Amino acid sequence: IENLILPENIKTAWDSSKLWSNAVSTADKRGDFFIGANAFLGNKLTTLELPEGVLYVGGSAFKSNALTTVKFPKTILQICNQSFAGNAIVSLAFDATTDFPLQIDMGAFGFNRIQAVQLPSNLEKLDKNTFLKNTNAEGTVIKTKVYIDADYSQIELRVLAHMSEDEHMIQA
């Protein structure tokens, strides 16, 4: 598979009082399109724009393709283990916030070429190995710079400092 067109705006009615965490959402509909584990594993996709309505991307769903750019919808809730690992991704595009708190699992974007990424401000989970072994153009392993624009309390800042291993944040 070299090109992929997914159905758009697959959503269902949503009662925000049924949130499973303390998160707040003003969404009255949520995405209702799940991409299962290994769904597009080992194809020849080069770019991917997931349409509104995609809620979940299963483990290894797009692993080992030739992806260089991926755009995520506001409806995305979870990106599972190694969903996009083993590509050549240099660019990830997220909205400033997502409809619900976003969770990104271990190795989801491992073994790519991502040097920096701006994640949604309502990110709830980011595994410390999400961007494991990203390399630059010369093949040298680099640390991906992760930016989150948010107003965090002190405990969340300490967790962020620990996960990012940023010496300035740890000392502050």
Side-chain angles (χ1 to χ4, degrees), residues 36-94:
N38 304 318
F40 301 99
L41 172 68
N43 284 287
K44 296 178 182 175
L45 298 170
T46 56
T47 61
L48 180 64
E49 183 171 345
L50 296 173
E52 289 298 320
V54 172
L55 182 72
Y56 173 93
V57 179
S60 301
F62 293 96
K63 184 177 179 180
S64 301
N65 274 272
L67 291 169
T68 57
T69 61
V70 181
K71 181 171 182 346
F72 293 91
K74 192 170 180 64
T75 54
I76 194 72
L77 171 71
Q78 184 166 7
I79 302 169
C80 294
N81 294 345
Q82 298 187 15
S83 294
F84 295 92
N87 283 282
I89 299 171
V90 294
S91 175
L92 295 175
F94 288 94

Side-chain angles (χ1 to χ4, degrees), residues 3-172:
N3 295 305
L4 180 64
I5 299 173
L6 297 169
E8 294 185 31
N9 286 316
I10 297 180
K11 295 183 179 182
T12 188
W14 175 253
D15 178 359
S16 63
S17 68
K18 296 181 181 179
L19 281 172
W20 50 90
S21 70
N22 293 331
V24 176
S25 176
T26 58
D28 61 352
K29 291 188 174 188
R30 71 163 174 80
D32 205 27
F33 190 88
F34 291 72
I35 298 173
N38 304 318
F40 301 99
L41 172 68
N43 284 287
K44 296 178 182 175
L45 298 170
T46 56
T47 61
L48 180 64
E49 183 171 345
L50 296 173
E52 289 298 320
V54 172
L55 182 72
Y56 173 93
V57 179
S60 301
F62 293 96
K63 184 177 179 180
S64 301
N65 274 272
L67 291 169
T68 57
T69 61
V70 181
K71 181 171 182 346
F72 293 91
K74 192 170 180 64
T75 54
I76 194 72
L77 171 71
Q78 184 166 7
I79 302 169
C80 294
N81 294 345
Q82 298 187 15
S83 294
F84 295 92
N87 283 282
I89 299 171
V90 294
S91 175
L92 295 175
F94 288 94
D95 284 310
T97 62
T98 52
D99 287 344
F100 299 97
L102 177 61
Q103 298 184 22
I104 306 176
D105 292 338
M106 180 175 69
F109 300 105
F111 301 93
N112 280 288
R113 296 190 175 193
I114 304 163
Q115 294 186 28
V117 62
Q118 176 78 39
L119 295 173
S121 62
N122 60 338
L123 180 72
E124 184 174 76
K125 175 187 173 191
L126 180 68
D127 185 88
K128 70 178 185 175
N129 292 315
T130 295
F131 297 99
L132 180 69
K133 295 197 177 180
N134 274 265
T135 61
N136 60 19
E138 292 78 38
T140 305
V141 174
I142 59 168
K143 272 194 174 187
T144 301
K145 294 178 181 169
V146 176
Y147 300 97
I148 305 171
D149 184 21
D151 181 17
Y152 289 108
S153 69
Q154 289 300 318
I155 187 66
E156 290 164 322
L157 280 173
R158 287 193 292 268
V159 170
L160 184 59
H162 172 75
M163 287 180 59
S164 69
E165 298 176 3
D166 184 290
E167 291 300 320
H168 298 289
M169 287 182 71
I170 292 170
Q171 292 174 6

